[in-house]
Amino acid sequence: MLTDKRILLILTGGIAAYKALELIRRLTECGARVTPVLTRAAEQFVTPLSVAALTGEKVYRDLFDLTNEVEMGHIQLSRSADLILIAPATANIMAKMVQGQADDLSSTILLATNAPVMIAPAMNVQMWDHPATQRNLTQLYADGISVVGPNEGDMACGEFGFGRMSEPVEIISALAAHFGSGPLLGKKILVTSGPTYEPIDPVRYIANRSSGAQGAAIGRALIAMGAEVIFITGPTSVPPPKGACITSVQTAQEMKDAVIAALPVDVAIFAAAVADWRVSTVSNKKLKKSIDGPPIIEFSENPDILACVAQMKKDRPSLVIGFAAETNTIVANATAKLQRKKCDWIVANDVSPETGIMGGLMNEITLISKTGAEAWPRMSKEDVAKQLAERVAKALC
Ligand code: CTP
């Protein structure tokens, strides 16, 4: 499954480091070549000798080990791998990665590398839930870092919750998915994301509020499961998913044109907050204030991209998924939307300001299909994306 894949495994200092020994054993069984790097703190939990014995490789420990610089400098070390895996990844290494610190061998490797990076976080539940760690996590996702786990359960410190490192088999599945053996391999999936901007004049526009965070997370989750993702996005400050084929648009009409041009696809997910109306006559000069009062702006309706694709005779994707951002009678409104637009599923959520969903890290959705409505618990947008991607994979098989 991982034959001849070169994995640079960084162990950082946490009690879960003991599981890394089992992980190394399983990685080598799967055919991977593991080059180990230990932080000083990791050496408090596992010995370099046991890691060297299990990997059959030299253990790298020190940035200023000149012999290593002659044999293999840290730059070369950082680039010689097909993937860098950090397991366990502490809150500290996550913070250092976000800040771009390079004060020891592992952080320097992470700053110098051009290889993909995957982390398996492990820490106390309060540390994991801390806003600082959650902020760092969001940034790491945005920087294209893959994250596996953590799991929920009893912890070494006696507390219960999220923070346990994923089991070695789960980490190996994530690696297998990364290397292109995921369940969505060979599937082409289109995702729309972000708002559209409808110009009023050269300096003004109207738009829906949308950070684009949920759409980008969906793109990343699909890519992690092996899909080819076509990502069509309106203007956002959230980075688009790495590895997707990205088209940036401004208006609803441009988004529709880009969607039609991308067909046929296996699945289409419409997470964009498309403006329902555009200004009928866009001024080519900035509108000026006048003694006659504010301008009267006339609107025209934008094309409904989701309804258009869901009702296509030719080239209709086998699964068409819409979103419904509502502020009241969520399920009834979203179910009516599913029927009106003729899509297969609707991901409905309550975006009233008091939910904190709009622009926040968390989401609470109801997945509506022709067979009914399923309320999901509140979870991170990344987790919503992962679970939705799993549902998509299930529906396609
Ligand atoms: N959508 C679209 N094209 C539009 C408007 C919406 O593709 N012109 C898609 C969105 O991407 C989303 C779904 O339709 O997947 C529902 O969008 P929403 O704004 O909630 O619904 P509307 O149809 O605009 O209905 P309303 O604003 O009246 O709630």
Side-chain angles (χ1 to χ4, degrees), residues 141-172:
Y141 278 126
D143 290 346
I145 307 297
S146 311
V147 182
V148 48
N151 292 346
E152 191 178 31
D154 287 318
M155 318 205 60
C157 54
E159 291 180 23
F160 180 89
F162 280 95
R164 278 170 68 93
M165 188 172 89
S166 291
E167 295 305 319
V169 281
E170 294 173 300
I171 297 174
I172 288 180

PDB file of all heavy atoms in Angstrom, residues 141-172:
ATOM      1  N   TYR A 141      -4.708  24.145   8.281  1.00  0.00           N
ATOM      2  CA  TYR A 141      -5.540  23.670   7.160  1.00  0.00           C
ATOM      3  C   TYR A 141      -5.357  24.603   5.967  1.00  0.00           C
ATOM      4  O   TYR A 141      -5.168  24.158   4.845  1.00  0.00           O
ATOM      5  CB  TYR A 141      -7.017  23.656   7.550  1.00  0.00           C
ATOM      6  CG  TYR A 141      -7.471  22.449   8.320  1.00  0.00           C
ATOM      7  CD1 TYR A 141      -8.113  22.564   9.539  1.00  0.00           C
ATOM      8  CD2 TYR A 141      -7.287  21.161   7.808  1.00  0.00           C
ATOM      9  CE1 TYR A 141      -8.562  21.456  10.240  1.00  0.00           C
ATOM     10  CE2 TYR A 141      -7.729  20.045   8.508  1.00  0.00           C
ATOM     11  CZ  TYR A 141      -8.367  20.205   9.718  1.00  0.00           C
ATOM     12  OH  TYR A 141      -8.806  19.104  10.402  1.00  0.00           O
ATOM     13  N   ALA A 142      -5.428  25.892   6.261  1.00  0.00           N
ATOM     14  CA  ALA A 142      -5.306  26.870   5.170  1.00  0.00           C
ATOM     15  C   ALA A 142      -3.941  26.789   4.503  1.00  0.00           C
ATOM     16  O   ALA A 142      -3.802  27.059   3.310  1.00  0.00           O
ATOM     17  CB  ALA A 142      -5.545  28.272   5.709  1.00  0.00           C
ATOM     18  N   ASP A 143      -2.915  26.392   5.261  1.00  0.00           N
ATOM     19  CA  ASP A 143      -1.567  26.268   4.692  1.00  0.00           C
ATOM     20  C   ASP A 143      -1.396  24.943   3.944  1.00  0.00           C
ATOM     21  O   ASP A 143      -0.298  24.630   3.475  1.00  0.00           O
ATOM     22  CB  ASP A 143      -0.508  26.345   5.809  1.00  0.00           C
ATOM     23  CG  ASP A 143      -0.419  27.748   6.406  1.00  0.00           C
ATOM     24  OD1 ASP A 143      -0.966  28.683   5.801  1.00  0.00           O
ATOM     25  OD2 ASP A 143       0.193  27.902   7.474  1.00  0.00           O
ATOM     26  N   GLY A 144      -2.455  24.156   3.886  1.00  0.00           N
ATOM     27  CA  GLY A 144      -2.400  22.912   3.115  1.00  0.00           C
ATOM     28  C   GLY A 144      -1.895  21.706   3.890  1.00  0.00           C
ATOM     29  O   GLY A 144      -1.557  20.677   3.304  1.00  0.00           O
ATOM     30  N   ILE A 145      -1.849  21.830   5.215  1.00  0.00           N
ATOM     31  CA  ILE A 145      -1.391  20.707   6.045  1.00  0.00           C
ATOM     32  C   ILE A 145      -2.555  19.728   6.206  1.00  0.00           C
ATOM     33  O   ILE A 145      -3.687  20.138   6.484  1.00  0.00           O
ATOM     34  CB  ILE A 145      -0.950  21.203   7.450  1.00  0.00           C
ATOM     35  CG1 ILE A 145       0.084  22.335   7.334  1.00  0.00           C
ATOM     36  CG2 ILE A 145      -0.449  20.054   8.314  1.00  0.00           C
ATOM     37  CD1 ILE A 145       1.381  21.982   6.695  1.00  0.00           C
ATOM     38  N   SER A 146      -2.308  18.427   6.048  1.00  0.00           N
ATOM     39  CA  SER A 146      -3.357  17.424   6.289  1.00  0.00           C
ATOM     40  C   SER A 146      -3.353  17.083   7.772  1.00  0.00           C
ATOM     41  O   SER A 146      -2.289  17.015   8.390  1.00  0.00           O
ATOM     42  CB  SER A 146      -3.096  16.140   5.514  1.00  0.00           C
ATOM     43  OG  SER A 146      -2.825  16.432   4.201  1.00  0.00           O
ATOM     44  N   VAL A 147      -4.552  16.853   8.294  1.00  0.00           N
ATOM     45  CA  VAL A 147      -4.664  16.565   9.728  1.00  0.00           C
ATOM     46  C   VAL A 147      -5.440  15.273   9.908  1.00  0.00           C
ATOM     47  O   VAL A 147      -6.520  15.110   9.345  1.00  0.00           O
ATOM     48  CB  VAL A 147      -5.392  17.717  10.461  1.00  0.00           C
ATOM     49  CG1 VAL A 147      -5.477  17.450  11.949  1.00  0.00           C
ATOM     50  CG2 VAL A 147      -4.684  19.050  10.205  1.00  0.00           C
ATOM     51  N   VAL A 148      -4.883  14.339  10.681  1.00  0.00           N
ATOM     52  CA  VAL A 148      -5.613  13.113  10.988  1.00  0.00           C
ATOM     53  C   VAL A 148      -5.855  13.083  12.497  1.00  0.00           C
ATOM     54  O   VAL A 148      -4.939  13.233  13.283  1.00  0.00           O
ATOM     55  CB  VAL A 148      -4.883  11.860  10.424  1.00  0.00           C
ATOM     56  CG1 VAL A 148      -3.435  11.835  10.749  1.00  0.00           C
ATOM     57  CG2 VAL A 148      -5.529  10.568  10.899  1.00  0.00           C
ATOM     58  N   GLY A 149      -7.143  12.959  12.861  1.00  0.00           N
ATOM     59  CA  GLY A 149      -7.513  12.985  14.270  1.00  0.00           C
ATOM     60  C   GLY A 149      -7.521  14.386  14.819  1.00  0.00           C
ATOM     61  O   GLY A 149      -7.561  15.342  14.055  1.00  0.00           O
ATOM     62  N   PRO A 150      -7.468  14.560  16.141  1.00  0.00           N
ATOM     63  CA  PRO A 150      -7.353  13.497  17.147  1.00  0.00           C
ATOM     64  C   PRO A 150      -8.697  12.817  17.402  1.00  0.00           C
ATOM     65  O   PRO A 150      -9.733  13.303  16.969  1.00  0.00           O
ATOM     66  CB  PRO A 150      -6.895  14.262  18.391  1.00  0.00           C
ATOM     67  CG  PRO A 150      -7.491  15.628  18.231  1.00  0.00           C
ATOM     68  CD  PRO A 150      -7.514  15.914  16.756  1.00  0.00           C
ATOM     69  N   ASN A 151      -8.640  11.719  18.140  1.00  0.00           N
ATOM     70  CA  ASN A 151      -9.842  10.974  18.491  1.00  0.00           C
ATOM     71  C   ASN A 151     -10.352  11.399  19.862  1.00  0.00           C
ATOM     72  O   ASN A 151      -9.634  12.009  20.649  1.00  0.00           O
ATOM     73  CB  ASN A 151      -9.538   9.473  18.521  1.00  0.00           C
ATOM     74  CG  ASN A 151      -9.247   8.942  17.129  1.00  0.00           C
ATOM     75  OD1 ASN A 151      -9.515   9.617  16.137  1.00  0.00           O
ATOM     76  ND2 ASN A 151      -8.708   7.749  17.060  1.00  0.00           N
ATOM     77  N   GLU A 152     -11.589  10.994  20.112  1.00  0.00           N
ATOM     78  CA  GLU A 152     -12.179  11.250  21.421  1.00  0.00           C
ATOM     79  C   GLU A 152     -11.958  10.016  22.296  1.00  0.00           C
ATOM     80  O   GLU A 152     -11.992   8.886  21.789  1.00  0.00           O
ATOM     81  CB  GLU A 152     -13.679  11.486  21.240  1.00  0.00           C
ATOM     82  CG  GLU A 152     -14.369  12.006  22.471  1.00  0.00           C
ATOM     83  CD  GLU A 152     -15.858  12.270  22.207  1.00  0.00           C
ATOM     84  OE1 GLU A 152     -16.446  11.559  21.377  1.00  0.00           O
ATOM     85  OE2 GLU A 152     -16.394  13.167  22.861  1.00  0.00           O
ATOM     86  N   GLY A 153     -11.723  10.224  23.578  1.00  0.00           N
ATOM     87  CA  GLY A 153     -11.586   9.056  24.455  1.00  0.00           C
ATOM     88  C   GLY A 153     -10.915   9.415  25.763  1.00  0.00           C
ATOM     89  O   GLY A 153     -10.674  10.594  26.064  1.00  0.00           O
ATOM     90  N   ASP A 154     -10.605   8.380  26.556  1.00  0.00           N
ATOM     91  CA  ASP A 154      -9.893   8.579  27.814  1.00  0.00           C
ATOM     92  C   ASP A 154      -8.465   8.986  27.498  1.00  0.00           C
ATOM     93  O   ASP A 154      -7.842   8.448  26.583  1.00  0.00           O
ATOM     94  CB  ASP A 154      -9.869   7.273  28.615  1.00  0.00           C
ATOM     95  CG  ASP A 154     -11.240   6.972  29.188  1.00  0.00           C
ATOM     96  OD1 ASP A 154     -11.890   7.909  29.681  1.00  0.00           O
ATOM     97  OD2 ASP A 154     -11.659   5.798  29.106  1.00  0.00           O
ATOM     98  N   MET A 155      -7.941   9.900  28.326  1.00  0.00           N
ATOM     99  CA  MET A 155      -6.597  10.382  28.058  1.00  0.00           C
ATOM    100  C   MET A 155      -5.664   9.968  29.189  1.00  0.00           C
ATOM    101  O   MET A 155      -6.113   9.672  30.299  1.00  0.00           O
ATOM    102  CB  MET A 155      -6.613  11.898  27.928  1.00  0.00           C
ATOM    103  CG  MET A 155      -7.800  12.363  27.121  1.00  0.00           C
ATOM    104  SD  MET A 155      -7.557  13.919  26.325  1.00  0.00           S
ATOM    105  CE  MET A 155      -6.202  13.587  25.305  1.00  0.00           C
ATOM    106  N   ALA A 156      -4.371   9.994  28.874  1.00  0.00           N
ATOM    107  CA  ALA A 156      -3.378   9.566  29.863  1.00  0.00           C
ATOM    108  C   ALA A 156      -3.466  10.416  31.134  1.00  0.00           C
ATOM    109  O   ALA A 156      -3.194   9.953  32.234  1.00  0.00           O
ATOM    110  CB  ALA A 156      -1.987   9.661  29.257  1.00  0.00           C
ATOM    111  N   CYS A 157      -3.901  11.691  30.983  1.00  0.00           N
ATOM    112  CA  CYS A 157      -3.973  12.596  32.130  1.00  0.00           C
ATOM    113  C   CYS A 157      -5.230  12.357  32.974  1.00  0.00           C
ATOM    114  O   CYS A 157      -5.462  13.057  33.958  1.00  0.00           O
ATOM    115  CB  CYS A 157      -3.953  14.038  31.641  1.00  0.00           C
ATOM    116  SG  CYS A 157      -5.235  14.351  30.416  1.00  0.00           S
ATOM    117  N   GLY A 158      -6.073  11.397  32.570  1.00  0.00           N
ATOM    118  CA  GLY A 158      -7.260  11.073  33.360  1.00  0.00           C
ATOM    119  C   GLY A 158      -8.507  11.798  32.884  1.00  0.00           C
ATOM    120  O   GLY A 158      -9.598  11.534  33.378  1.00  0.00           O
ATOM    121  N   GLU A 159      -8.366  12.719  31.926  1.00  0.00           N
ATOM    122  CA  GLU A 159      -9.547  13.429  31.421  1.00  0.00           C
ATOM    123  C   GLU A 159     -10.112  12.689  30.216  1.00  0.00           C
ATOM    124  O   GLU A 159      -9.491  11.760  29.692  1.00  0.00           O
ATOM    125  CB  GLU A 159      -9.158  14.864  31.051  1.00  0.00           C
ATOM    126  CG  GLU A 159      -8.824  15.685  32.286  1.00  0.00           C
ATOM    127  CD  GLU A 159      -8.430  17.117  31.961  1.00  0.00           C
ATOM    128  OE1 GLU A 159      -8.802  17.617  30.889  1.00  0.00           O
ATOM    129  OE2 GLU A 159      -7.750  17.728  32.797  1.00  0.00           O
ATOM    130  N   PHE A 160     -11.289  13.153  29.780  1.00  0.00           N
ATOM    131  CA  PHE A 160     -11.946  12.515  28.651  1.00  0.00           C
ATOM    132  C   PHE A 160     -12.257  13.584  27.608  1.00  0.00           C
ATOM    133  O   PHE A 160     -12.656  14.686  27.947  1.00  0.00           O
ATOM    134  CB  PHE A 160     -13.253  11.848  29.114  1.00  0.00           C
ATOM    135  CG  PHE A 160     -13.995  11.169  27.998  1.00  0.00           C
ATOM    136  CD1 PHE A 160     -13.730   9.839  27.668  1.00  0.00           C
ATOM    137  CD2 PHE A 160     -14.941  11.869  27.243  1.00  0.00           C
ATOM    138  CE1 PHE A 160     -14.402   9.222  26.621  1.00  0.00           C
ATOM    139  CE2 PHE A 160     -15.606  11.252  26.193  1.00  0.00           C
ATOM    140  CZ  PHE A 160     -15.341   9.923  25.893  1.00  0.00           C
ATOM    141  N   GLY A 161     -12.090  13.249  26.346  1.00  0.00           N
ATOM    142  CA  GLY A 161     -12.466  14.202  25.293  1.00  0.00           C
ATOM    143  C   GLY A 161     -11.581  14.018  24.082  1.00  0.00           C
ATOM    144  O   GLY A 161     -10.921  12.991  23.932  1.00  0.00           O
ATOM    145  N   PHE A 162     -11.593  15.048  23.206  1.00  0.00           N
ATOM    146  CA  PHE A 162     -10.780  14.987  21.995  1.00  0.00           C
ATOM    147  C   PHE A 162      -9.331  15.334  22.340  1.00  0.00           C
ATOM    148  O   PHE A 162      -9.079  16.279  23.077  1.00  0.00           O
ATOM    149  CB  PHE A 162     -11.315  15.950  20.936  1.00  0.00           C
ATOM    150  CG  PHE A 162     -12.502  15.385  20.212  1.00  0.00           C
ATOM    151  CD1 PHE A 162     -13.782  15.679  20.620  1.00  0.00           C
ATOM    152  CD2 PHE A 162     -12.322  14.500  19.151  1.00  0.00           C
ATOM    153  CE1 PHE A 162     -14.875  15.143  19.978  1.00  0.00           C
ATOM    154  CE2 PHE A 162     -13.404  13.954  18.505  1.00  0.00           C
ATOM    155  CZ  PHE A 162     -14.688  14.262  18.910  1.00  0.00           C
ATOM    156  N   GLY A 163      -8.404  14.578  21.826  1.00  0.00           N
ATOM    157  CA  GLY A 163      -7.002  14.851  22.077  1.00  0.00           C
ATOM    158  C   GLY A 163      -6.140  13.605  21.947  1.00  0.00           C
ATOM    159  O   GLY A 163      -4.913  13.708  21.871  1.00  0.00           O
ATOM    160  N   ARG A 164      -6.783  12.430  21.926  1.00  0.00           N
ATOM    161  CA  ARG A 164      -6.010  11.183  21.764  1.00  0.00           C
ATOM    162  C   ARG A 164      -5.485  11.086  20.338  1.00  0.00           C
ATOM    163  O   ARG A 164      -6.234  11.326  19.394  1.00  0.00           O
ATOM    164  CB  ARG A 164      -6.929   9.970  21.948  1.00  0.00           C
ATOM    165  CG  ARG A 164      -7.178   9.574  23.363  1.00  0.00           C
ATOM    166  CD  ARG A 164      -8.276   8.529  23.368  1.00  0.00           C
ATOM    167  NE  ARG A 164      -7.836   7.277  22.767  1.00  0.00           N
ATOM    168  CZ  ARG A 164      -7.322   6.267  23.453  1.00  0.00           C
ATOM    169  NH1 ARG A 164      -7.217   6.351  24.757  1.00  0.00           N
ATOM    170  NH2 ARG A 164      -6.941   5.176  22.852  1.00  0.00           N
ATOM    171  N   MET A 165      -4.230  10.711  20.204  1.00  0.00           N
ATOM    172  CA  MET A 165      -3.692  10.550  18.852  1.00  0.00           C
ATOM    173  C   MET A 165      -4.458   9.445  18.127  1.00  0.00           C
ATOM    174  O   MET A 165      -4.836   8.443  18.749  1.00  0.00           O
ATOM    175  CB  MET A 165      -2.194  10.190  18.894  1.00  0.00           C
ATOM    176  CG  MET A 165      -1.576  10.221  17.503  1.00  0.00           C
ATOM    177  SD  MET A 165       0.214  10.027  17.501  1.00  0.00           S
ATOM    178  CE  MET A 165       0.406   8.265  17.408  1.00  0.00           C
ATOM    179  N   SER A 166      -4.685   9.617  16.828  1.00  0.00           N
ATOM    180  CA  SER A 166      -5.330   8.578  16.019  1.00  0.00           C
ATOM    181  C   SER A 166      -4.540   7.285  16.136  1.00  0.00           C
ATOM    182  O   SER A 166      -3.323   7.310  16.336  1.00  0.00           O
ATOM    183  CB  SER A 166      -5.357   8.996  14.552  1.00  0.00           C
ATOM    184  OG  SER A 166      -6.232  10.054  14.393  1.00  0.00           O
ATOM    185  N   GLU A 167      -5.237   6.189  15.959  1.00  0.00           N
ATOM    186  CA  GLU A 167      -4.563   4.896  16.017  1.00  0.00           C
ATOM    187  C   GLU A 167      -3.666   4.736  14.783  1.00  0.00           C
ATOM    188  O   GLU A 167      -3.974   5.291  13.716  1.00  0.00           O
ATOM    189  CB  GLU A 167      -5.603   3.764  16.040  1.00  0.00           C
ATOM    190  CG  GLU A 167      -6.477   3.755  17.283  1.00  0.00           C
ATOM    191  CD  GLU A 167      -5.663   3.705  18.578  1.00  0.00           C
ATOM    192  OE1 GLU A 167      -4.663   2.957  18.626  1.00  0.00           O
ATOM    193  OE2 GLU A 167      -6.013   4.426  19.524  1.00  0.00           O
ATOM    194  N   PRO A 168      -2.587   3.953  14.895  1.00  0.00           N
ATOM    195  CA  PRO A 168      -1.699   3.764  13.740  1.00  0.00           C
ATOM    196  C   PRO A 168      -2.444   3.344  12.467  1.00  0.00           C
ATOM    197  O   PRO A 168      -2.160   3.844  11.386  1.00  0.00           O
ATOM    198  CB  PRO A 168      -0.743   2.669  14.226  1.00  0.00           C
ATOM    199  CG  PRO A 168      -0.659   2.913  15.707  1.00  0.00           C
ATOM    200  CD  PRO A 168      -2.023   3.364  16.125  1.00  0.00           C
ATOM    201  N   VAL A 169      -3.458   2.479  12.584  1.00  0.00           N
ATOM    202  CA  VAL A 169      -4.189   2.055  11.359  1.00  0.00           C
ATOM    203  C   VAL A 169      -4.910   3.232  10.720  1.00  0.00           C
ATOM    204  O   VAL A 169      -4.986   3.328   9.488  1.00  0.00           O
ATOM    205  CB  VAL A 169      -5.221   0.927  11.632  1.00  0.00           C
ATOM    206  CG1 VAL A 169      -4.580  -0.415  11.745  1.00  0.00           C
ATOM    207  CG2 VAL A 169      -6.087   1.228  12.818  1.00  0.00           C
ATOM    208  N   GLU A 170      -5.422   4.151  11.560  1.00  0.00           N
ATOM    209  CA  GLU A 170      -6.122   5.320  10.991  1.00  0.00           C
ATOM    210  C   GLU A 170      -5.119   6.231  10.278  1.00  0.00           C
ATOM    211  O   GLU A 170      -5.417   6.796   9.222  1.00  0.00           O
ATOM    212  CB  GLU A 170      -6.822   6.100  12.103  1.00  0.00           C
ATOM    213  CG  GLU A 170      -7.960   5.339  12.758  1.00  0.00           C
ATOM    214  CD  GLU A 170      -8.519   6.063  13.972  1.00  0.00           C
ATOM    215  OE1 GLU A 170      -7.768   6.307  14.938  1.00  0.00           O
ATOM    216  OE2 GLU A 170      -9.701   6.370  13.966  1.00  0.00           O
ATOM    217  N   ILE A 171      -3.939   6.363  10.857  1.00  0.00           N
ATOM    218  CA  ILE A 171      -2.920   7.223  10.231  1.00  0.00           C
ATOM    219  C   ILE A 171      -2.487   6.596   8.902  1.00  0.00           C
ATOM    220  O   ILE A 171      -2.334   7.281   7.887  1.00  0.00           O
ATOM    221  CB  ILE A 171      -1.723   7.428  11.191  1.00  0.00           C
ATOM    222  CG1 ILE A 171      -2.205   8.152  12.456  1.00  0.00           C
ATOM    223  CG2 ILE A 171      -0.601   8.201  10.516  1.00  0.00           C
ATOM    224  CD1 ILE A 171      -1.179   8.303  13.552  1.00  0.00           C
ATOM    225  N   ILE A 172      -2.370   5.278   8.894  1.00  0.00           N
ATOM    226  CA  ILE A 172      -1.964   4.604   7.660  1.00  0.00           C
ATOM    227  C   ILE A 172      -3.054   4.734   6.587  1.00  0.00           C
ATOM    228  O   ILE A 172      -2.753   4.966   5.419  1.00  0.00           O
ATOM    229  CB  ILE A 172      -1.560   3.140   7.951  1.00  0.00           C
ATOM    230  CG1 ILE A 172      -0.214   3.203   8.685  1.00  0.00           C
ATOM    231  CG2 ILE A 172      -1.488   2.292   6.682  1.00  0.00           C
ATOM    232  CD1 ILE A 172       0.413   1.947   9.093  1.00  0.00           C
TER     233      ILE A 172
END
